[in-house]
Amino acid sequence: MKKVYDYETNNLRFSCMNAMYNLQLRGRIVCLEGISASGKTYMVSMLKDFKKSGDFSEYDASNIILVNQDISYNFDIDAEILVIVDNAEFVLGVEICEKMLSQKKTRYLVISRKSFNLHISPNYFCDLVMDNGVLSLKYHFNENGWF
């Protein structure tokens, strides 16, 4: 089974049907923004299917937790996992954001359809882009000294 998310390299990689995702995450918290129909919801749906199918899938998504308005999560847990928060503008409040920022191990991919303040560096905000059939992250900034 292929690992979907590699904690050591901070890379989320899988393919399904006609889409290949190769997302190199920066740091512990990345905010994925973007317009409708850019592939964000499709990506979350595919990961949900991998998690449901378990042993029947060629992918291992056991170190990924999916969170949205319908699926809750205990944000007090700090472990070597990737938590993907879809529709973050409806899920994350100030208290949860503070917990996320205080953790040392857990990594987050925060998916939002509109901007909201996570109190992270602009270097960690990105869009999902397609290049040669591969969906990847295009970061808005890459400035030294911005943490």
Side-chain angles (χ1 to χ4, degrees), residues 4-142:
V4 175
Y5 175 67
D6 185 325
Y7 186 87
E8 296 301 317
T9 62
N10 209 11
N11 187 267
L12 181 69
R13 183 184 182 110
F14 65 94
S15 59
C16 187
M17 302 180 77
N18 294 331
M20 175 160 186
Y21 288 84
N22 186 8
L23 310 183
Q24 185 60 56
L25 305 176
R26 288 184 181 171
R28 279 196 336 92
I29 302 173
V30 172
C31 187
L32 173 57
E33 301 175 316
I35 60 171
S36 294
S38 62
K40 299 181 304 295
T41 301
Y42 183 72
M43 176 184 72
V44 172
S45 295
M46 292 301 98
L47 291 170
K48 191 184 220 180
D49 288 347
F50 295 155
K51 291 189 73 64
K52 274 189 205 172
S53 56
D55 293 337
F56 300 104
S57 172
E58 66 180 288
Y59 290 103
D60 175 5
S62 60
N63 62 346
I64 298 173
I65 306 295
L66 301 173
V67 180
N68 61 28
Q69 300 104 303
D70 301 321
I71 303 170
S72 62
Y73 172 70
N74 180 356
F75 284 89
D76 292 322
I77 296 170
D78 192 16
E80 292 185 352
I81 57 175
L82 175 65
V83 176
I84 299 175
V85 182
D86 193 20
N87 290 309
E89 62 271 25
F90 302 113
V91 176
L92 300 180
V94 173
E95 184 179 321
I96 292 173
C97 288
E98 287 173 359
K99 286 180 184 182
M100 290 166 55
L101 291 167
S102 71
Q103 294 175 339
K104 303 294 181 215
K105 296 178 188 173
T106 303
R107 295 185 178 151
Y108 294 91
L109 178 57
V110 177
I111 301 171
S112 175
R113 274 79 185 160
K114 62 180 185 177
S115 293
F116 70 103
N117 197 347
L118 269 177
H119 300 291
I120 60 174
S121 165
N123 283 337
Y124 300 110
F125 286 81
C126 59
D127 292 309
L128 196 58
V129 296
M130 173 81 78
D131 187 28
N132 293 323
V134 178
L135 286 153
S136 61
L137 299 178
K138 180 179 180 189
Y139 288 89
H140 298 178
F141 297 98
N142 190 23

